């Protein structure tokens, strides 16, 4: 169904537009586009917006069942979700179960797709201009981005999310390689999971084959990505 939600456009990124409804609520609209390499490669991808929105809604509702607080309020059934506005922390939290991607560039002594002895949690400064550089926990504290106890809470929640998602993926015959999270604070000061959870922000494999945006990074077409997202949704049980 089409939504009658309206708001003022306040941000447009590579994959989403964000609209302000009021002081409490925002609309996130998922675009029918796929990008890679900080937007250097971009193609139209009809249908991708709804597929990514459906993934985000499904996974956030799944996490809610386990007590993970997140910003999702409602979904229009298409490309828009209604979310609570938060005071965002300008950090990307990456959870890694296997050696892949940028980890291999900085640590070539580990073979690709080696499963880590325990999940790794790393932090990147959210900055397109700086290409989201890796930062340390000391960097975060010294810059005043969060306090130590808040950072500890973020790490704990990220690992709990990984446990929930990994178990669900395994039950569906899938492998969760790694994923990105973002967090913010609500008006009560509670830490809340935000942004999206989709094939744009996760690496998910079936029998070694990608069902995520990594396909596009490797040269596949936008249509290939849409088909992969459709397959992911079927396997995860997303309608």
């Amino acid at each position: 169904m089409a939504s009658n939600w309206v708001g003022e456009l306040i941000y447009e990124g590579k994959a989403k537009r964000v609209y302000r409804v009021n002081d409490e609520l925002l609309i996130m609209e998922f675009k029918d586009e796929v990008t890679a390499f900080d937007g250097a490669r971009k193609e139209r991808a009809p249908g991708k917006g709804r597929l990514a929105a459906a993934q985000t809604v499904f996974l956030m509702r799944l996490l809610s069942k386990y007590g993970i607080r997140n910003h999702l309020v409602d979904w229009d059934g298409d490309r828009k979700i209604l979310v609570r506005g938060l005071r965002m922390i300008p950090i990307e939290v990456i959870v890694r179960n296997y050696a892949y991607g940028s980890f291999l560039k900085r640590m070539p002594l580990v073979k690709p797709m080696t499963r880590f002895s325990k999940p790794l949690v790393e932090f990147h400064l959210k900055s397109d201009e700086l290409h989201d550089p890796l930062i340390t926990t000391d960097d975060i504290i010294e810059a005043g981005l969060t306090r130590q106890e808040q950072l500890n809470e973020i790490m704990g929640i990220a690992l709990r999310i990984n446990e929930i998602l990994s178990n669900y993926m395994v039950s569906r015959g899938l492998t969760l390689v790694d994923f990105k999270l973002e967090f913010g604070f609500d008006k009560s000061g509670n830490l809340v999971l935000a942004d999206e959870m989709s094939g744009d922000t996760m690496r998910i494999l079936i029998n070694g084959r990608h069902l995520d945006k990594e396909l596009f990074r490797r040269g596949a077409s936008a249509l290939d990505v849409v088909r992969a997202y459709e397959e992911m949704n079927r396997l995860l049980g997303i309608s």
Side-chain angles (χ1 to χ4, degrees):
M1 64 178 179
S3 84
N4 55 4
W5 302 333
V6 293
E8 175 192 0
L9 180 66
I10 58 172
Y11 171 80
E12 181 165 359
K14 295 185 289 289
K16 297 184 297 294
R17 299 182 185 92
V18 180
Y19 304 84
R20 185 178 304 283
V21 178
N22 53 41
D23 290 343
E24 304 286 336
L25 298 171
L26 303 171
I27 298 165
M28 285 175 44
E29 179 185 27
F30 291 75
K31 297 163 71 171
D32 280 342
E33 292 181 356
V34 58
T35 67
F37 314 118
D38 287 331
R41 185 183 179 207
K42 178 169 70 173
E43 287 184 20
R44 283 275 301 159
K48 174 182 171 286
R50 185 194 182 281
L51 292 165
Q55 291 162 5
T56 297
V57 170
F58 179 86
L59 293 174
M60 287 200 169
R61 285 175 176 169
L62 173 66
L63 293 172
S64 291
K65 293 177 182 177
Y66 290 88
I68 303 296
R69 188 183 286 113
N70 63 69
H71 70 163
L72 179 66
V73 176
D74 202 358
W75 179 36
D76 74 345
D78 192 14
R79 296 190 296 123
K80 295 178 181 178
I81 62 174
L82 191 66
V83 301
R84 285 181 289 151
L86 304 172
R87 179 168 58 87
M88 294 298 294
I89 305 169
I91 296 171
E92 294 184 348
V93 183
I94 310 295
V95 183
R96 299 186 184 277
N97 295 307
Y98 296 83
Y100 206 103
S102 61
F103 175 88
L104 295 171
K105 293 180 181 178
R106 70 172 187 266
M107 183 47 68
L109 302 179
V110 180
K111 292 181 179 179
M113 282 305 292
T114 298
R115 183 164 189 169
F116 297 123
S117 58
K118 62 179 182 180
L120 305 186
V121 179
E122 64 187 43
F123 302 96
H124 294 251
L125 182 65
K126 188 171 175 61
S127 169
D128 287 342
E129 292 153 359
L130 298 176
H131 306 291
D132 304 324
L134 180 70
I135 54 177
T136 68
T137 55
D138 286 340
D139 295 337
I140 293 168
I141 301 304
E142 290 300 322
L145 300 182
T146 70
R147 300 191 304 272
Q148 184 65 58
E149 59 268 26
Q150 294 168 335
L151 194 56
N152 293 343
E153 186 180 1
I154 287 171
M155 292 179 69
I157 294 172
L159 289 170
R160 178 61 177 145
I161 289 171
N162 182 58
E163 180 183 25
I164 295 164
L165 295 183
S166 293
N167 289 339
Y168 189 79
M169 298 295 174
V170 167
S171 75
R172 295 287 175 156
L174 301 171
T175 300
L176 181 59
V177 176
D178 54 33
F179 58 95
K180 175 180 74 72
L181 301 171
E182 294 186 30
F183 292 90
F185 295 105
D186 65 17
K187 290 187 175 180
S188 299
N190 298 308
L191 195 63
V192 179
L193 175 65
D195 199 46
E196 67 176 291
M197 303 190 75
S198 75
D200 281 14
T201 60
M202 312 172 81
R203 288 190 179 102
I204 297 172
L205 303 181
I206 180 166
N207 300 323
R209 180 168 54 85
H210 280 277
L211 297 177
D212 54 70
K213 197 174 82 168
E214 185 70 17
L215 290 167
F216 195 67
R217 298 186 190 101
R218 294 182 171 204
S221 70
L223 179 58
D224 292 327
V225 174
V226 171
R227 287 171 175 163
Y229 281 28
E230 289 172 342
E231 183 177 358
M232 184 202 302
N233 287 18
R234 285 196 302 272
L235 292 169
L236 289 176
I238 300 173
S239 58

